[in-house]
Amino acid sequence: MEKEKNAAELLMEKLAFKKEHFSKAMSDEEILKADGFCEGYKHFLQEGKTERECVEYVLEKAAAKGFTEFDKTKTYKAGDKVYVNNRGKSVILAVMGKNGAKEGVKIVASHIDSPRLDLKPTPLYEDSELAYFKTHYYGGIKKYQWVAIPLSLHGVMIKADGESVKINIGEKEGEPKFVVTDLLPHLGKEQGTRNLNEGIKGEELNILIGSRPFKSDAGSELVKLNILNILHEKYGVTEKDFISAELELVPAFPVSDIGFDRSLIGAYGHDDRVCAYPAMEAVFDCDAPERTIVTVLSDKEEVGSDGNTGLNSSYLKYFIYDLADMDGVKGRDVLSKSECLSADVNAGFDPNFPSVHDKYNCCTLNHGAVITKYTGARGKSGTSDASAEFMGKVRRVLDNANVSWQIGELGKVDEGGGGTVAMYIANLGVDVVDLGVPVLSMHAPYEIVSKFDVYSTYRACYEFYKAD
Ligand code: MN
Ligand code: MN
């Protein structure tokens, strides 16, 4: 029999806010559901390692679910499903609501770009009989983590005649991979005195791509020539075609369960595919929403959301203006009545590095989707700080649907900071708060999340869409 609670225990239960591990709230059946959901997520991670590959994956799945390309001259009815493909690098998915856009729309926004190494415009060179690519890293990385690991090459090259050639090499069994070499410890004395940020410098992130010369009695740079010859035979490209290309090197590790209990997933690019996938599944599963629902999967978040495929541009705004026009209302009126979950990750508490977190306000693995009221740095600069009213609404929606959620702040005050797409959407006049998955080793080539938190984030997005 359960021991009777004393007055203090009862009062504590009534008044205090306690963080709860999921195992207290979840049945075995729900845990199975969460694990099953994550099998789909793992497949998405493996297939979509770049923003372009994610858009392709999403569009294929959306077409199978009955989504058609948005046409602003058409009339749509409740339940109609549309997509907008922004240059193959960002995508909008929407389901028309019973009330259309008149009372505002519900947006879940996340990003599908991740930190990586991009090739420079003229990347190919030969040095000391070895061939290399020069790179310029993309997003916030700890450069020393990107050496001595297998990398794969993804992207497109546009040839002189305008033809687009897709590249994806290093993922499949038996395909060659690429690597940045590091110094052996025996000769690393000088390198060892550099600080960690300088341990590997930006211009040292050169990719080893070959070592055999083209067979010839005369000529120079024959190793480089041999690589050019292979590329020409395989893809029909020349060295000049690198200038009109977007080629990205990403870790070639396969996606894996982590731990004896298989409770975690290790992979490249959880940030932010771990929120993009739940956002996509939620819009697929919410058939007949009251208000029109919109999932935006965007490019360029890791470099500040600038550029015409990032959310600091107008592509989302223009889509909502088109919806407003169809309903005979003003775009600005739709935006100011709209609500948004900016679905992005937060830093999970890491017991190896406890000092950077405020233990009363950080998020923890297996405690569910994390709501981040504000991000930013140096006194809440560069963020959208969600209002008490909107926080109250989101909290009610999640509690009423029994979704596991927690509160998180990105590190201690003045420890560092970061940002998401939240402020760009808030700047349109929309109510926004960040919600997503706690991550360990964020922005490393191999990041860690909990399966339960991924599933909770899906449930949060779905219930947000369903709620009026
Ligand atoms: Mn992110
Ligand atoms: Mn990030």
Side-chain angles (χ1 to χ4, degrees):
M1 255 205 19
E2 221 177 295
K3 200 175 124 253
E4 232 174 77
K5 289 176 180 147
N6 69 30
E9 283 168 330
L10 286 170
L11 197 59
M12 187 67 96
E13 214 165 77
K14 188 174 159 195
L15 300 182
F17 172 49
K18 209 169 89 208
K19 285 184 77 163
E20 276 213 334
H21 192 273
F22 84 90
S23 56
K24 295 223 169 68
M26 247 190 151
S27 65
D28 289 350
E29 196 191 334
E30 281 174 298
I31 292 168
L32 273 179
K33 258 195 208 163
D35 289 352
F37 181 82
C38 285
E39 288 306 304
Y41 171 51
K42 282 156 65 179
H43 184 250
F44 174 65
L45 273 174
Q46 192 61 52
E47 297 296 310
K49 285 207 162 180
T50 66
E51 55 287 338
R52 284 177 192 267
E53 290 172 3
C54 284
V55 167
E56 261 181 56
Y57 185 102
V58 170
L59 288 180
E60 196 178 307
K61 231 178 156 182
K65 300 259 178 195
F67 283 70
T68 58
E69 186 161 17
F70 179 65
D71 177 351
K72 65 180 177 195
T73 65
K74 267 194 184 159
T75 348
Y76 292 101
K77 56 179 193 314
D80 282 348
K81 301 164 178 186
V82 298
Y83 70 82
V84 176
N85 173 358
N86 182 6
R87 297 169 170 85
K89 297 199 277 183
S90 293
V91 62
I92 298 173
L93 303 168
V95 180
M96 302 300 172
K98 291 175 199 151
N99 291 328
K102 285 192 285 289
E103 296 306 312
V105 299
K106 296 201 147 197
I107 306 164
V108 177
S110 76
H111 66 94
I112 46 178
D113 61 319
S114 297
R116 60 181 190 246
L117 305 179
D118 283 352
L119 292 200
K120 293 195 184 193
T122 54
L124 183 57
Y125 70 99
E126 175 176 338
D127 192 343
S128 312
E129 298 171 337
L130 296 171
Y132 291 95
F133 279 149
K134 296 233 45 114
T135 67
H136 193 141
Y137 65 95
Y138 173 98
I141 61 166
K142 290 164 112 175
K143 295 186 265 299
Y144 71 86
Q145 294 178 333
W146 293 71
V147 298
I149 60 168
L151 300 169
S152 57
L153 183 68
H154 302 242
V156 294
M157 297 179 83
I158 308 299
K159 298 205 285 191
D161 63 1
E163 189 200 337
S164 173
V165 182
K166 212 188 325 177
I167 313 265
N168 180 328
I169 181 162
E171 293 295 337
K172 290 189 198 78
E173 183 83 36
E175 282 184 346
K177 301 184 196 325
F178 310 95
V179 70
V180 180
T181 56
D182 197 0
L183 206 49
L184 62 168
H186 318 63
L187 299 178
K189 205 170 125 199
E190 180 276 330
Q191 186 192 29
T193 63
R194 300 183 190 176
N195 71 42
L196 200 55
N197 287 330
E198 292 283 302
I200 295 291
K201 297 176 186 172
E203 288 291 349
E204 290 169 344
L205 290 170
N206 300 314
I207 314 292
L208 182 60
I209 57 167
S211 68
R212 281 189 188 167
F214 185 79
K215 276 222 167 82
S216 164
D217 295 336
S220 61
E221 297 199 308
L222 292 176
V223 178
K224 173 179 167 177
L225 181 64
N226 195 41
I227 298 291
L228 279 172
N229 192 40
I230 290 168
L231 291 174
H232 189 256
E233 279 175 0
K234 191 169 163 70
Y235 302 110
V237 297
T238 67
E239 189 173 11
K240 204 173 176 184
D241 296 332
F242 280 102
I243 289 167
S244 46
E246 286 178 337
L247 291 166
E248 309 170 3
L249 285 139
V250 301
F253 305 131
V255 181
S256 298
D257 286 347
I258 296 287
F260 289 113
D261 59 6
R262 295 179 168 264
S263 58
L264 310 165
I265 306 169
Y268 161 70
H270 281 311
D271 178 9
D272 188 33
R273 288 173 255 265
V274 75
C275 299
Y277 184 79
M280 173 187 78
E281 289 294 324
V283 84
F284 285 163
D285 290 347
C286 198
D287 277 332
E290 291 296 319
R291 295 198 252 168
T292 295
I293 57 172
V294 180
T295 285
V296 195
L297 308 179
S298 194
D299 182 26
K300 293 283 180 278
E301 192 276 342
E302 294 297 356
V303 289
S305 293
D306 290 319
N308 61 8
T309 52
L311 274 172
N312 197 17
S313 75
S314 298
Y315 76 94
L316 174 64
K317 181 172 83 178
Y318 292 158
F319 174 66
I320 290 170
Y321 276 27
D322 288 340
L323 294 179
D325 286 346
M326 286 174 173
D327 286 348
V329 291
K330 282 208 169 87
R332 48 180 278 189
D333 294 330
V334 172
L335 283 169
S336 60
K337 290 180 199 162
S338 293
E339 295 172 346
C340 174
L341 293 182
S342 160
D344 209 339
V345 298
N346 197 334
F349 178 80
D350 187 337
N352 271 339
F353 306 99
S355 67
V356 300
H357 298 283
D358 161 18
K359 66 178 177 186
Y360 301 108
N361 284 284
C362 63
C363 60
T364 313
L365 262 64
N366 285 319
H367 286 240
V370 49
I371 299 176
T372 307
K373 189 173 181 293
Y374 51 84
T375 57
R378 301 172 309 281
K380 294 190 174 181
S381 280
T383 183
S384 155
D385 195 346
S387 71
E389 290 82 358
F390 191 53
M391 288 293 286
K393 182 163 183 190
V394 170
R395 178 188 145 193
R396 274 197 305 282
V397 167
L398 301 187
D399 280 343
N400 288 343
N402 215 11
V403 177
S404 290
W405 61 273
Q406 57 181 323
I407 277 293
E409 194 183 34
L410 185 61
K412 272 184 182 165
V413 176
D414 291 340
E415 188 70 47
T420 64
V421 301
M423 68 171 173
Y424 302 109
I425 296 174
N427 289 347
L428 299 173
V430 176
D431 273 313
V432 186
V433 69
D434 280 302
L435 179 145
V437 176
V439 178
L440 299 181
S441 300
M442 195 198 293
H443 284 206
Y446 200 68
E447 305 175 309
I448 307 297
V449 298
S450 134
K451 291 180 179 176
F452 171 72
D453 298 333
V454 180
Y455 183 63
S456 298
T457 298
Y458 159 75
R459 288 207 57 223
C461 295
Y462 177 80
E463 295 298 340
F464 170 73
Y465 277 151
K466 247 184 57 185
D468 194 23

